[in-house]
Amino acid sequence: QVQLVESGGGSVQPGGSLRLSCVASEYTVSLSCMGWFRQRPGKEREAVAAMTTRGSYTYHADIVKGRFSISQDSAKRTVYLQMNSLKPGDTATYYCAAKRGGCNPDYFNRIGIDAWGQGTLVTVSS
């Protein structure tokens, strides 16, 4: 069973940047969708960004478009989330998630996720 380990969270002032990393214990095209969700205080977990391991498709939620960017290094079995121009509303626990079968609606609805990371806290505050 694939395992995911996130890192890179922390505290930052508004306007700052952080880069999250998610290392997978295995990384093949069968794990065809990798991405990031977040759970803000009092809110449901929501999809932030995702990409196919083939690199042919990427998704960024409207609320982060232009500020966050997902990328991968398959040789390192790692997916990254570069977060720029952070806002207090971005404060959340960020989770890496992997799913076989592509970045389909099930992935974004958190159905059939094959693996979740443990979460990493991002706090944006002055």
Side-chain angles (χ1 to χ4, degrees), residues 4 6 22 33-37 95-99 107 113 115-117:
L4 306 174
E6 301 114 334
C22 170
C33 190
M34 299 282 292
W36 295 90
F37 289 74
Y95 297 90
C96 183
K99 183 182 181 303
Y107 180 86
I113 300 293
W116 289 98

Side-chain angles (χ1 to χ4, degrees), residues 14-50:
S17 297
L18 284 173
R19 188 176 78 158
L20 306 183
S21 300
C22 170
V23 181
S25 58
E26 62 178 80
Y27 202 87
T28 67
V29 293
S30 67
L31 274 180
S32 55
C33 190
M34 299 282 292
W36 295 90
F37 289 74
R38 71 183 183 187
Q39 189 158 15
R40 295 180 283 179
K43 303 288 188 180
E44 287 192 356
R45 197 171 295 190
E46 60 185 353
V48 174

Side-chain angles (χ1 to χ4, degrees), residues 12-18 67 83-88 90 124-125:
V12 65
Q13 292 187 340
S17 297
L18 284 173
R67 299 188 298 122
M83 305 186 295
N84 299 325
S85 302
L86 283 160
K87 304 175 181 180
D90 295 319
V124 185
S125 173

Side-chain angles (χ1 to χ4, degrees), residues 101-125:
C103 295
N104 53 32
D106 281 352
Y107 180 86
F108 296 104
N109 289 307
R110 310 189 306 275
I111 297 171
I113 300 293
D114 288 291
W116 289 98
Q118 81 284 0
T120 185
L121 179 63
V122 172
T123 302
V124 185
S125 173

